[in-house]
Each structure stands twice: as C-alpha cells, then as structure tokens.
Amino acid sequence: MSDAINHHRRRFLGTAAMTIAAAQLGMFGSAIAQSSKIKSADLPPIKPGTNTSFGSLKLINAGVLNVGYAEAGSADGSAVILLHGWPYDIHSFVDVAPSLAAAGYRVIVPHLRGHGTTRFLSSETFRNGQQSAIALDIIALMDALKIERAILAGYDWGARTANIIAALWPERCKAMVSVNGYLINNLERNKLPLPPKAEWGWWYQYYFATERGRAGLDANRRDLAKLIWTFNSPKWDFDDATFDRTAASFDNPDFVSIVIHNYRWRLSLAEGDPQYDDLEKRLAEGPVIAVPTITLDGDSDGVAPASDGTSYAKKFSGKRSHRIIKGIGHNLPQEAPQVFTKAVVEVDGY
C-alpha cells in the first residue's frame, strides 16, 4: 500500500429509455473528448425502474484494489464517473447511466471499496474506510482507465468522494453534481452534537461504534440496510427485487470492515492510516471547491434534511446552482434519474 500511496502523492505533487445492450459499449482509452452537445432539456424522459441491470461488469487493477465497475457509452465521449453511497451500490445509477450514454458520454460506475465486485489486491492491506482513502481509489481508477479529467457525480459517500477530488485535485474534475452539498468531513466538527432530530437520523453510526453493532451489521446486513432505505427515503416505493439487486453487493468480504471503520473513524473512535494524515489535515481545513457544481437535495430525505444551500455556499467559489427536488429521498439518482441526469448534462455546460 505504501508504494501505491507514494505513487499517488508523487503524481499529485508533480501536477431514455434505451436498451442496456445499446448502452453498454464500454471500452478502454483516453476520455479527453469533446463535451456532449446535447442540452438537458433535450433528454428523453426516464421512468425510474426502467432498467434493472448493467449487464456484464468489468474489472481492473487500480491502486490497492481490483475495481468492479460498469461502463456505458462511447470511449470517445467525455467521461462521467457516478459514485454511490451506503447502504447502496451501483444500481443507484441503473437508469442514469444509459441515458448519459445515449447523450454521448462515457459513463463509469464503480463499486466503492467493500462493495460488490471490488476487492483488495492484498490480504495485508488495512481495510480502511476513511474519506481520503476512498477518494484516492477513484483517482487510481481514473489513472488505470486513462481518464485524465471527468465529471464527478454522486450522493452520500459518493458525493463526499467527489467533493474531495474537486477540492484537492481540481485538474481531475471537470464539473460536479453533489447531493446534499458540501460533505467533506472535519473530525473535530464531528465531535459537536447535532439537534436531536438529526442525531436520531444517524442512529446507526452510534450502533456501529459498538462491537454489538459490528456483529449486528454482519448478521443482519440486508435487514439493516432495508430499514435504512425506508427511513432515508420514506416516499420511495421500492420493491423487493430492486432492493435485492443492490443487497447482493453487501456480500463483499470486506463490507463489514469498511463500513464499521468508516463510521468509527468519523467519530474519532478508530484511527486512520498515517499515510493519509497530510491529506486529512488539508480536508479538515474545509477547502473551497472551484469547479462548476450543481448541488441537489431531496425534500423527503430522512437522514439529511433539505436546505436552501446557503449554509455551505462559501465552500464553492465557482459557478454553482442549488435545487430542491420534491418528494425525493436520500438515494436521489435512483429515485429521480431524470433530475440527476439533467444535472450532469447541465453542469457540463457551465
């Protein structure tokens, strides 16, 4: 892992509906291409749940991982990387990816560490869920796929990852769509109490702080995730088949270790890897994001109540738009794929 991280540091310091078969045109190669000329208003309607599968996934060694990912669209299109949250997986973008591919983009949808088909290359690597490690995973994936610059779009863990890359390595991020705004963690700030209602929404963080919580996640990962889905998106009427397609990703052998470390680290109950200390110090300062951004909030998000975006407005120095989406919860791209897809296309034109 030391060699991989040092490699990254040297690099950084030195520098609608359509069929899945038609959408899955994944190819390797450089994705420095002309932007799609399509306008967001020209996108065809997308009905949530139109698509159920990405087809065959790909695998590639990137940094400390063998990353499992879906790819859609032309290798000549501008790259878009879609980043999922927890407890979810790449199926959050199962309707978004084909639409973006049809609009001319090269779409990459990776399983984050600990999820789905992504695996660690070495059994000796620390199963680390801290924010900077996950961000470096995506940089390593971009390097492996020869993608110099991409639009980054995500929610939850994925939005935080996009925020970090946009803030620390803006040369790799053309533009960004971020659900729930600015999500970069500051461990000292995380020690401060939230209003009771907000604390209630984070109940599982405190559960995971205990060994009973670790055992509970391991034994009941599906039931726990379904409970969180229901709480996070109270107006989303997902069916069992939709949940089961994602829940298969929780069988990853590193799922429990990554999730537990992520939430314990956020509460300063678990140490991070010293190799990331310098990055975490920079992130703790709340770096400003200069890349063009659209921030989105669902007004029915059970865990991250919608805001007007003013509380973190100073964290964005570039062009930014903020919008609240009615009737939508935490898993915004899967619940409202049309809105999310339009945001990606629109921010590409900023």
Side-chain angles (χ1 to χ4, degrees):
M1 182 168 65
S2 297
D3 289 341
I5 300 304
N6 286 336
H7 166 75
H8 286 303
R9 285 177 172 168
R10 288 193 300 270
R11 179 184 180 91
F12 299 148
L13 292 174
T15 51
M18 57 179 291
T19 61
I20 293 298
Q24 295 302 116
L25 301 174
M27 305 173 79
F28 292 123
S30 174
I32 304 300
Q34 296 297 317
S35 298
S36 169
K37 300 302 182 182
I38 194 169
K39 296 181 180 179
S40 61
D42 298 329
L43 289 169
I46 309 170
K47 181 181 178 181
T50 296
N51 301 294
T52 60
S53 172
F54 287 100
S56 298
L57 300 187
K58 297 182 176 183
L59 295 169
I60 190 169
N61 287 349
V64 300
L65 300 173
N66 180 247
V67 178
Y69 67 100
E71 183 168 3
S74 170
D76 295 329
S78 291
V80 178
I81 300 177
L82 304 175
L83 300 168
H84 70 82
W86 183 90
Y88 309 94
D89 81 336
I90 62 174
H91 287 88
S92 290
F93 304 103
V94 74
D95 289 319
V96 173
S99 184
L100 287 173
Y105 291 95
R106 179 189 182 189
V107 186
I108 307 294
V109 195
H111 273 125
L112 299 185
R113 58 170 56 194
H115 294 73
T117 54
T118 293
R119 298 289 188 274
F120 284 87
L121 294 173
S122 171
S123 61
E124 302 301 317
T125 302
F126 174 27
R127 271 37 178 181
N128 184 345
Q130 74 186 97
Q131 60 182 355
S132 56
I134 297 173
L136 284 175
D137 290 344
I138 302 306
I139 293 290
L141 176 63
M142 292 175 70
D143 291 346
L145 293 175
K146 304 186 190 313
I147 296 173
E148 191 63 32
R149 196 164 173 247
I151 298 170
L152 302 178
Y155 68 101
D156 198 82
W157 289 22
R160 179 173 296 108
T161 300
N163 287 184
I164 292 169
I165 295 172
L168 297 188
W169 305 292
E171 70 278 6
R172 308 305 298 270
C173 182
K174 180 181 181 183
M176 179 175 66
V177 175
S178 179
V179 178
N180 300 135
Y182 187 91
L183 296 179
I184 295 176
N185 273 315
N186 177 305
L187 297 189
E188 291 303 312
R189 185 180 64 239
N190 282 358
K191 294 176 182 179
L192 301 176
L194 297 170
K197 186 175 181 179
E199 296 282 23
W200 180 44
W202 289 109
W203 66 268
Y204 51 88
Q205 289 203 36
Y206 311 120
Y207 182 51
F208 294 160
T210 68
E211 285 307 298
R212 177 171 173 161
R214 174 190 283 273
L217 176 62
D218 194 15
N220 304 303
R221 56 188 78 184
R222 280 173 166 75
D223 288 344
L224 194 151
K226 184 175 282 189
L227 178 64
I228 292 174
W229 276 35
T230 302
F231 181 85
N232 286 0
S233 300
K235 295 184 179 181
W236 183 28
D237 187 23
F238 61 88
D239 57 22
D240 287 343
T242 297
F243 176 78
D244 290 343
R245 282 189 287 271
T246 288
S249 288
F250 308 154
D251 294 331
N252 184 296
D254 300 306
F255 177 77
V256 172
S257 294
I258 293 299
V259 172
I260 293 296
H261 185 264
N262 177 282
Y263 288 107
R264 290 185 181 181
W265 176 83
R266 289 196 211 183
L267 296 177
S268 298
L269 300 175
E271 295 292 329
D273 191 319
Q275 295 185 80
Y276 302 102
D277 284 353
D278 290 343
L279 292 177
E280 294 297 347
K281 288 178 181 177
R282 293 171 63 189
L283 294 173
E285 296 171 355
V288 172
I289 294 173
V291 305
T293 298
I294 292 177
T295 53
L296 303 171
D297 275 326
D299 77 346
S300 297
D301 191 327
V303 68
S307 75
D308 61 8
T310 58
S311 63
Y312 50 77
K314 292 182 179 179
K315 293 298 184 182
F316 295 92
S317 62
K319 182 175 180 179
R320 181 181 74 99
S321 298
H322 178 74
R323 50 204 66 160
I324 297 174
I325 314 305
K326 293 184 178 180
I328 299 302
H330 196 63
N331 186 5
L332 194 149
Q334 194 163 5
E335 297 176 59
Q338 183 86 19
V339 169
F340 197 86
T341 301
K342 283 188 173 184
V344 172
V345 174
E346 183 178 338
V347 81
D348 188 21
Y350 276 15

